[in-house]
Amino acid sequence: MKRVASNLVGAVIEAWQEVRIHKTRVMLSLIGVAVAVCAITTVVGLGAVAQQATVEASERSGGRAASLSLFVSMNDGSTPTEMPEIWRTALERYQIDYASRVVNNSQTVQFVDGAVPVQTIGVDPPYGTMHRITLEKGVWFTDADQARLAPAVLVNSIFWDRLSRPDLRTHPTVTLVGERTTTAVVTGVYPALSWETEPAMYMLADALTAITPVVTDPNLQFGPPSYELWVPVDVSEQLVTALQRDVQGALGSEASVQVSRQDYAAYMEGDPYLSLKLTVGAIAGLVLLLGVLGLVNIALVTLKQRIREIGIRRSFGATAGRVFFAVMMESVVATVVAGIVGVIVAVLIVTSPLVEDFISQGQVTDFPPFPVEAAILGLGCATVVGALAGLIPALVAVRVKVIDAIRY
């Protein structure tokens, strides 16, 4: 074992010395290899960031994997009064920590330029974590907000602009106009989505229900609340069946109960950026192929100048295997060094703040670390390229006859 390790280390050192001697000849080919390795590694690394951006954007709308949606309505269009107790019982029974009611409504808000109906969503505090909602200013709802006399509201940036962007430390308020005129406190601002053009806001579900008058006509209602749960993926299917059974059994045949999974992972399969990765990977593969051809050509030219050296080694007892391995390792060591350089450049590119901002478009909060598999892939490609480039020269070196080599 020691002998094998000693021979391996000696071959690597010898190969590195030969690369240093002929560095001018191999430099251009190694630049091509380094560029190709950098391209492959960068594509994989940027793909991880882009995929994270897609996942987080999907989680903001549909929730994290696995998010379940529970919708209940009576056949006559009314909302079952037993549902709050059924909901609490289900959360306790299945030990679900992240769950939220979702109430869609509209509140008339008094701005300086007039009263405007504003889309309002009533939620529970866990909703922010379930949907990865990030705030530009302020903080998300907490349990302490339940006890506020003036309800807390989180507004989008369009809403905030219409308020002339007040400092949240001054506890700015807005007036909700209706049968019960209410003063609400703005405690946070979240970024408006690219397609949003109107003000919108979040309130706690209990606060929204308390200030909303009871409407007896079902046609004038926004519909009954829905219920969302964030559960482990491996038990999501069982929970869908169990919740459907429990709620339907508690409400009877007069109720319509629908439980389904709504997160992106339920319908998104595979890597959405696979085609882009394959395209850039194919281009990088062509660059690697050109690098291989250049290295083979340079290695063959260099080998002709080393024929006498190889013959002398063989005359002093160097085996054909040792000569084969030594010649091949020269290419492998050179391309591995080029691969390391390419991987380092790729890491600098992918982790650059400018590149991260461009790829994420402000949609990524949990930037993934540089993927180790990308670095391994880059170094693996460099090693394979070196082995392929050194194979033909190594075979030629083995076939050199000792007598002819010494006379050369």
Side-chain angles (χ1 to χ4, degrees):
M1 187 65 181
K2 291 183 179 180
R3 183 178 180 181
V4 173
S6 176
N7 291 337
L8 178 61
V9 173
V12 172
I13 295 175
E14 180 183 343
W16 176 244
Q17 291 174 346
E18 291 295 334
V19 170
R20 292 180 60 187
I21 293 172
H22 304 285
K23 59 183 178 181
T24 303
R25 297 179 180 179
V26 301
M27 185 63 68
L28 293 178
S29 296
L30 292 182
I31 290 176
V33 173
V35 170
V37 170
C38 178
I40 294 176
T41 309
T42 301
V43 167
V44 177
L46 291 180
V49 177
Q51 186 171 4
Q52 181 69 11
T54 302
V55 168
E56 291 194 13
S58 300
E59 290 178 345
R60 288 187 180 94
S61 58
R64 302 179 187 239
S67 289
L68 307 183
S69 176
L70 168 63
F71 183 82
V72 178
S73 64
M74 304 303 289
N75 294 338
D76 59 2
S78 62
T79 302
T81 57
E82 308 94 326
M83 194 56 207
E85 183 60 31
I86 296 174
W87 173 245
R88 286 191 293 269
T89 301
L91 297 183
E92 293 175 358
R93 176 179 300 168
Y94 299 110
Q95 298 180 347
I96 299 173
D97 296 325
Y98 292 94
S100 174
R101 296 163 293 173
V102 180
V103 182
N104 290 291
N105 206 317
S106 178
Q107 294 292 316
T108 302
V109 179
Q110 183 66 56
F111 292 101
V112 175
D113 54 351
V116 177
V118 174
Q119 178 189 7
T120 307
I121 303 178
V123 297
D124 293 317
Y127 185 90
T129 302
M130 295 164 60
H131 286 264
R132 279 189 180 272
I133 297 179
T134 56
L135 301 181
E136 292 181 356
K137 303 285 184 180
V139 294
W140 181 256
F141 296 122
T142 64
D143 292 333
D145 290 321
Q146 301 277 9
R148 284 178 176 269
L149 297 178
V153 294
L154 303 174
V155 303
N156 67 0
S157 54
I158 299 173
F159 192 121
W160 192 38
D161 289 337
R162 293 195 66 168
L163 293 178
S164 300
R165 305 174 70 88
D167 189 344
L168 296 185
R169 291 175 296 182
T170 63
H171 308 289
T173 61
V174 294
T175 302
L176 310 181
V177 181
E179 292 185 11
R180 302 176 183 175
T181 300
T182 305
T183 300
V185 181
V186 179
T187 59
V189 180
Y190 62 93
L193 299 176
S194 57
W195 60 83
E196 288 184 322
T197 58
E198 299 295 333
M201 64 182 181
Y202 286 102
M203 292 184 65
L204 287 173
D206 289 335
L208 180 59
T209 303
I211 66 174
T212 302
V214 178
V215 180
T216 57
D217 185 355
N219 295 323
L220 299 179
Q221 296 187 24
F222 284 85
S226 60
Y227 302 84
E228 295 186 6
L229 311 91
W230 179 25
V231 301
V233 176
D234 54 351
V235 298
S236 58
E237 294 185 5
Q238 297 92 315
L239 281 175
V240 167
T241 303
L243 286 171
Q244 181 85 33
R245 180 194 63 234
D246 293 351
V247 178
Q248 189 71 65
L251 295 176
S253 59
E254 296 299 319
S256 175
V257 180
Q258 298 177 356
V259 183
S260 60
R261 183 172 170 182
Q262 64 177 12
D263 60 277
Y264 73 97
Y267 55 85
M268 182 183 294
E269 295 182 359
D271 185 356
Y273 296 95
L274 181 60
S275 59
L276 176 62
K277 292 179 180 179
L278 291 178
T279 301
V280 180
I283 296 174
L286 292 177
V287 177
L288 279 174
L289 179 60
L290 294 177
V292 169
L293 295 178
L295 284 174
V296 169
N297 184 40
I298 293 174
L300 289 175
V301 172
T302 304
L303 184 64
K304 289 183 179 181
Q305 300 177 359
R306 298 175 57 196
I307 293 296
R308 184 177 180 83
E309 173 193 338
I310 294 174
I312 294 175
R313 288 188 179 185
R314 294 294 303 274
S315 66
F316 277 93
T319 63
R322 177 62 185 270
V323 172
F324 178 89
F325 187 72
V327 174
M328 175 175 283
M329 283 301 296
E330 292 176 16
S331 296
V332 172
V333 169
T335 54
V336 167
V337 172
I340 293 174
V341 173
V343 169
I344 292 175
V345 174
V347 172
L348 295 176
I349 292 174
V350 174
T351 56
S352 169
L354 294 177
V355 175
E356 287 183 347
D357 292 341
F358 177 77
I359 294 296
S360 67
Q361 296 295 311
Q363 298 298 313
V364 179
T365 57
D366 297 335
F367 277 96
F370 187 87
V372 177
E373 60 270 18
I376 295 176
L377 175 64
L379 291 178
C381 290
T383 303
V384 171
V385 165
L388 293 176
L391 180 61
I392 295 177
L395 292 175
V396 173
V398 170
R399 299 183 63 181
V400 172
K401 295 181 180 179
V402 177
I403 299 299
D404 295 338
I406 294 177
R407 292 175 179 177
Y408 187 82

